[in-house]
Amino acid sequence: MNDIICPHCKKVFKVDEAGFADILKQVRDHVFDKELHERLELAEKEKENAVKLAKADVEKLMQADIAKKDKELIELKAEKEKEIVELLAKKEAEIADMKAKIDKTEVEKKLSVTEAVRTIEKERDDLAGELKSKETEKQLLEKSLQEKYSVELKTKDDIIKMKDDEIALRKDMKLKLSTKMVGETLEQHCEIEFNKLRATAFQNAYFEKDNDSASGSKGDYIYRETDESGNEIISIMFEMKNEGDETATKKRNEDFLRELDKDRAEKKCEYAVLVSLLEAENELYNTGIIDVSHKHPKMYVVRPQFFIPIITLLRNAAMNSLKYKAELALVKSQNIDITNFEENMNNFKEGFAKNYDLASRKFKSAIEEIDKTIDHLQKTKESLLSSENNLRLANNKAEDLTIKRLTRGNPTMTAKFAEVSDTGKTTKGK
């Protein structure tokens, strides 16, 4: 059960999971339709403004070119009229001179007048023809300008039509994508697209969900592929982000790059790819496969339609370097064997040194104990020798012992011994 609080009366309603999901779907559909309608209106306004601006620019250019050509024609016409006037004035002066000369001779007058008139008429006709050619050139120029700008206008209209077709195509793609995504997530969509090609293009590949969250976070899918010898060809950590899964606060693709790089490093994957529907209006992410390795190593951001192409591109690049990886693995295994041999040798040396040190300490301890025993026996010997000397001195003293010495300085004992000695003598006399 879920609690829903009324924004007006603040009353709490209990709604089951199905009802809550239905309400959430209605809110999402309404928001999506509203945003789609607003974006379509904005596109229409931008198209109208672009058409108006293009027409205004073309008209402005045409007016400027026509005004420039009119000005050139007026200047040329004025120049030609000036030349004609000068020529006419010059010819009139010549005619006056001719008339003055004709007055002298009628024959010369007639011949000169006839010839002068003929020449002037010819020049007049030439000037009239030249002026007519200029008018014709002006008309041709105006016609060419009109044709040129009409072609440009038609080109602009074709471009606008192409833009309209592209907008309609994108609308249709969004509608199809939305219809296809009903009842499934972006993760399921990518998994289905991969499984369509698994049996033919990715027979030795591992592509499963990342269920290990021991470190506190996990990606969505892990792609791994190895060769027959067990050498890893490529490994990719995938993260899928759908616009529909987010709240009203829109997220950016950059918000998930750091966590994706952390998951890639913890799962020991070589590449990281974010498959995203976020920032749908961002032209950068709509152009194709975006390399963001300048922020995090070996990381890319793609739209769902480039999910299979990014795997193919990275896999083909890894296959080209497979030979070098195999050689590197062989060298690494050889280095491991040498390291193990050196480690065993060092362990033997350490064990031998430890045993030698222990035996040496035991031997030294035994020598020290023997030395202590010898010292003790030597002291015992010295003590016995000293006791023998004392016994000899005692014996000598005992041999030198007499009654006289014992009773010296003791009158009582002297008297007693004297009495005993006299008694003994008396007994002997009897």
Side-chain angles (χ1 to χ4, degrees):
M1 296 295 288
N2 294 278
D3 294 339
I4 297 180
I5 302 175
C6 179
H8 299 288
C9 64
K10 307 301 181 181
K11 185 177 180 181
V12 179
F13 296 92
K14 296 288 185 177
V15 181
D16 58 4
E17 294 295 335
F20 184 77
D22 187 37
I23 293 173
L24 186 60
K25 181 177 181 300
Q26 292 178 8
V27 173
R28 286 179 178 173
D29 292 343
H30 177 72
V31 172
F32 177 77
D33 293 339
K34 182 178 179 182
E35 291 182 356
L36 180 61
H37 182 69
E38 291 176 354
R39 290 178 183 176
L40 291 176
E41 290 181 352
L42 182 60
E44 290 293 336
K45 290 181 180 179
E46 289 179 354
K47 183 188 76 173
E48 292 177 0
N49 293 333
V51 171
K52 291 179 180 179
L53 183 60
K55 287 183 178 179
D57 291 341
V58 171
E59 290 177 357
K60 185 176 180 181
L61 291 173
M62 288 181 64
Q63 291 294 334
D65 288 343
I66 292 171
K68 183 178 178 181
K69 295 300 178 182
D70 289 340
K71 183 178 179 181
E72 290 177 356
L73 289 173
I74 291 171
E75 291 176 354
L76 184 61
K77 187 176 180 180
E79 184 178 354
K80 293 299 180 182
E81 288 177 352
K82 183 178 179 181
E83 290 179 357
I84 291 171
V85 170
E86 291 177 353
L87 289 173
L88 289 174
K90 184 178 179 181
K91 294 303 178 181
E92 287 176 357
E94 291 178 355
I95 290 171
D97 293 338
M98 291 292 180
K99 285 181 179 182
K101 292 179 180 180
I102 288 172
D103 289 339
K104 293 180 181 180
T105 307
E106 288 293 332
V107 178
E108 292 180 357
K109 178 181 176 182
K110 291 180 180 180
L111 292 173
S112 298
V113 169
T114 302
E115 185 178 357
V117 170
R118 188 183 298 114
T119 303
I120 292 171
E121 288 178 350
K122 183 179 178 182
E123 292 179 355
R124 183 193 62 190
D125 294 339
D126 292 339
L127 291 173
E130 186 176 353
L131 183 61
K132 185 176 180 181
S133 66
K134 291 294 182 182
E135 291 290 338
T136 304
E137 182 180 354
K138 176 185 175 184
Q139 293 176 358
L140 292 173
L141 181 61
E142 290 178 353
K143 185 177 180 181
S144 65
L145 288 173
Q146 289 178 353
E147 291 177 353
K148 175 183 176 182
Y149 289 112
S150 64
V151 170
E152 289 184 357
L153 284 174
K154 185 177 180 182
T155 304
K156 294 286 185 182
D157 293 337
D158 293 338
I159 292 173
I160 293 171
K161 184 178 179 182
M162 289 175 62
K163 294 292 184 182
D164 292 339
D165 294 339
E166 184 177 357
I167 291 171
L169 179 61
R170 289 189 176 273
K171 289 180 184 178
D172 185 58
M173 287 177 63
K174 286 188 176 181
L175 289 175
K176 289 182 178 178
L177 182 61
S178 299
T179 303
K180 185 176 182 180
M181 287 298 179
V182 172
E184 64 178 22
T185 64
L186 180 59
E187 297 177 10
Q188 293 172 335
H189 168 72
C190 293
E191 184 175 3
I192 291 171
E193 292 297 318
F194 182 84
N195 288 332
K196 288 179 181 179
L197 301 173
R198 184 191 288 268
T200 55
F202 307 105
Q203 297 178 359
N204 298 325
Y206 168 89
F207 182 74
E208 299 294 339
K209 289 185 67 65
D210 180 16
N211 296 319
D212 183 9
S213 60
S215 61
S217 64
K218 62 177 182 177
D220 288 331
Y221 283 88
I222 295 178
Y223 174 89
R224 294 186 190 276
E225 187 169 355
T226 57
D227 61 6
E228 296 177 354
S229 301
N231 298 319
E232 182 176 286
I233 299 174
I234 187 174
S235 58
I236 308 173
M237 170 64 71
F238 283 99
E239 182 77 15
M240 284 74 172
K241 291 299 175 183
N242 193 341
E243 185 76 30
D245 295 334
E246 301 299 330
T247 59
T249 304
K250 300 297 181 183
K251 297 289 185 179
R252 300 186 307 160
N253 290 315
E254 293 184 1
D255 298 338
F256 302 95
L257 299 183
R258 184 184 297 275
E259 190 69 20
L260 177 57
D261 183 63
K262 176 184 175 184
D263 294 335
R264 177 189 67 82
E266 289 177 351
K267 304 304 165 56
K268 295 180 174 57
C269 293
E270 184 178 1
Y271 294 94
V273 177
L274 176 63
V275 183
S276 171
L277 286 173
L278 305 180
E279 299 183 73
E281 301 300 325
N282 193 324
E283 292 297 328
L284 173 64
Y285 298 111
N286 291 334
T287 55
I289 299 173
I290 306 303
D291 185 356
V292 291
S293 298
H294 59 284
K295 295 183 178 179
H296 300 283
K298 295 186 177 181
M299 184 174 293
Y300 300 88
V301 179
V302 299
R303 294 302 188 197
Q305 59 267 31
F306 294 101
F307 170 66
I308 296 298
I310 186 64
I311 296 178
T312 305
L313 289 174
L314 296 178
R315 179 174 179 266
N316 291 340
M319 291 294 290
N320 293 332
S321 63
L322 181 61
K323 178 181 177 183
Y324 304 103
K325 285 187 177 180
E327 293 178 356
L328 181 62
L330 178 60
V331 173
K332 186 176 180 181
S333 63
Q334 292 175 352
N335 291 334
I336 290 174
D337 292 339
I338 295 173
T339 303
N340 292 334
F341 176 77
E342 292 178 352
E343 184 177 356
N344 293 333
M345 179 66 74
N346 291 331
N347 291 336
F348 173 75
K349 288 181 179 180
E350 291 176 0
F352 183 81
K354 183 177 180 182
N355 292 333
Y356 174 79
D357 181 62
L358 181 61
S360 177
R361 284 191 283 109
K362 292 290 185 181
F363 183 77
K364 185 177 180 181
S365 177
I367 296 296
E368 290 177 353
E369 291 295 330
I370 292 172
D371 290 338
K372 289 180 181 179
T373 303
I374 292 172
D375 291 339
H376 182 67
L377 292 174
Q378 187 67 31
K379 289 179 180 180
T380 303
K381 179 182 177 183
E382 291 176 356
S383 297
L384 291 173
L385 292 174
S386 177
S387 298
E388 181 184 5
N389 188 38
N390 289 329
L391 289 172
R392 183 179 57 79
L393 292 175
N395 184 48
N396 292 334
K397 287 181 180 181
E399 289 179 354
D400 292 338
L401 183 62
T402 61
I403 298 299
K404 185 178 181 179
R405 286 187 178 183
L406 286 175
T407 58
R408 183 184 297 174
N410 192 342
T412 304
M413 292 303 295
T414 301
K416 291 290 183 182
F417 277 110
E419 184 179 353
V420 171
S421 178
D422 290 342
T423 304
K425 289 180 179 180
T426 303
T427 305
K428 248 182 210 183
K430 291 179 176 182

